Amino acid sequence: MSFALAMILAMAIDALIGWPDRLFRRIGHPVTWLGALIGALERGLNRLDLNPLRRRILGTAAALAAISAAALPALAISTALPETWLGTLLTGLLAWPLVATRSLHDHVAAVARPLAAGDLASARIELAKIVGRDPTKLDEAGVSRAALESLAENASDGITAPIFWGALFGLPGIAGYKAINTLDSMLGHRTPRLEAFGWASARIDDVANLIPARLTGLLFALAGLKPRRAFACMLRDARKHRSPNAGWPEAAMAGVLGVRLSGPRIYEGRLSAEPWVNAGAPDPGPREISAGLSLMRRAMGLLAGVLALVAFT
C-alpha cells in the first residue's frame, strides 16, 4: 500500500467535489464530529474553580483523548485494509474528507468576487466565515490582507499538514493530525477560560505544524517562480509572526505577491499590535487575492507532484 499515492487520490477527489452540501446535511463532517467531542470534553473537564496547573493537566488529558478517538479507529481500519492497490484506493477515499483544498479555495474566492465588484459589505460577510477578527472595521485593503493571510495559513493547516502526516503514517496520521488542528482551533486561545485548559492543544499543534508550515512556504516560493524574493521575506519576517508556524507561509505569499500582510488588527474588541510581514510593500486588493488563489493551486499541484515522485520511485 502506498500512503503517498493514497494522499494524491484524496487531494484529487477533494479538488473535484469537495465535501458536498447534501452529504454534510445528511451526516455532517468528520471535523464537526471531532468538534462535538472536543466541546463535550471542554464542558465536562474545564472547571474554572480549579487552579491553572490542574486545568492544564485536565486539558492535556482532553487533548490526548480527542487525538486517540480519531487516530485509534483509523489505525484499526488501516490495519484491516489489504496491502494492495485496493487498500491504497480505500485509504485515499477515507482520507478525502480530511483534506480542505476545495473548501479553502471556495471560501477565499467568495471574498474576492464581491470585493472586485466594489461590494465591500458582502466581502466582509464572507470574510467573517474564515477569520476570527472583526471584519466590520476593515477597509478593502484590510479585507484583502485577512483573506490572503487565511489562505496562506490554512493552506498549511488544511492541506499540506494533513497530507504530510497522511503520507508518513496513512489514515492514523491524517486523522490524528485533524484532531490536533481542531483542538487548537477550538481550545488554543489565550482567553481566561481557555488559556490554561487549551495549553496542551496549542503546544501539540505547534509541533505538528513545524515541518508542514515551512514546507508550505517552500512550495509557495517555488510555485511563485520568485523564490529569491519569497525566501528573503521568509527569512526576514516569518519569525516576527505571533505564531511560530503561520509566519512561514504568510511571508512566502507576501514575498511572491509583493504585498504586505499581518500588521495591527482587532481581536475581540482589542487592538493587537502585530508587526508587518513584508513591511514597505503595498497593500493587496482583490486582484492579489485572485493571484494568491492561483499561487495556492500551483503550490498544491507541486505537492501532488512530490507525492507522485515518492510513490513511484
Side-chain angles (χ1 to χ4, degrees), residues 67-275:
I67 295 166
S68 298
L72 292 180
L75 177 61
I77 293 170
S78 182
T79 303
L81 293 176
E83 294 188 9
T84 63
W85 65 268
L86 179 60
T88 298
L89 174 63
L90 292 173
T91 298
L93 286 171
L94 291 168
W96 150 46
L98 305 178
V99 184
T101 311
R102 182 65 176 264
S103 174
L104 173 61
H105 186 280
D106 289 352
H107 276 96
V108 175
V111 177
R113 284 192 295 270
L115 199 62
D119 186 355
L120 181 58
S122 294
R124 286 169 171 164
I125 291 171
E126 295 299 328
L127 181 67
K129 299 175 183 178
I130 57 173
V131 301
R133 74 194 71 171
D134 180 6
T136 62
K137 310 290 185 183
L138 299 178
D139 57 9
E140 179 182 291
V143 169
S144 300
R145 286 196 304 271
L148 284 172
E149 290 159 19
S150 180
L151 177 64
E153 182 174 358
N154 286 295
S156 177
D157 293 356
I159 310 171
T160 307
I163 291 297
F164 175 81
W165 291 110
L168 283 180
F169 301 114
L171 282 178
I174 193 170
Y177 172 78
K178 210 63 183 181
I180 290 169
N181 188 241
T182 307
L183 280 161
D184 181 63
S185 67
M186 292 182 66
L187 305 182
H189 304 287
R190 292 182 176 178
T191 62
R193 180 177 181 87
L194 294 175
E195 185 165 14
F197 189 81
W199 174 84
S201 295
R203 300 293 79 75
I204 295 170
D205 184 78
D206 288 344
V207 174
N209 283 296
L210 191 69
I211 295 174
R214 287 148 182 81
L215 176 58
T216 306
L218 174 62
L219 292 168
F220 283 159
L222 297 177
L225 304 178
K226 296 177 180 177
R228 182 176 298 180
R229 197 164 75 179
F231 281 122
C233 191
M234 281 193 287
L235 292 173
R236 184 183 64 244
D237 292 341
R239 291 182 179 86
K240 298 177 183 177
H241 201 279
R242 67 191 181 281
S243 163
N245 294 316
W248 294 89
E250 285 189 23
M253 180 165 283
V256 170
L257 300 181
V259 298
R260 67 175 183 172
L261 297 176
S262 196
R265 75 276 309 279
I266 295 175
Y267 280 116
E268 299 178 350
R270 293 179 296 177
L271 179 66
S272 178
E274 305 290 342

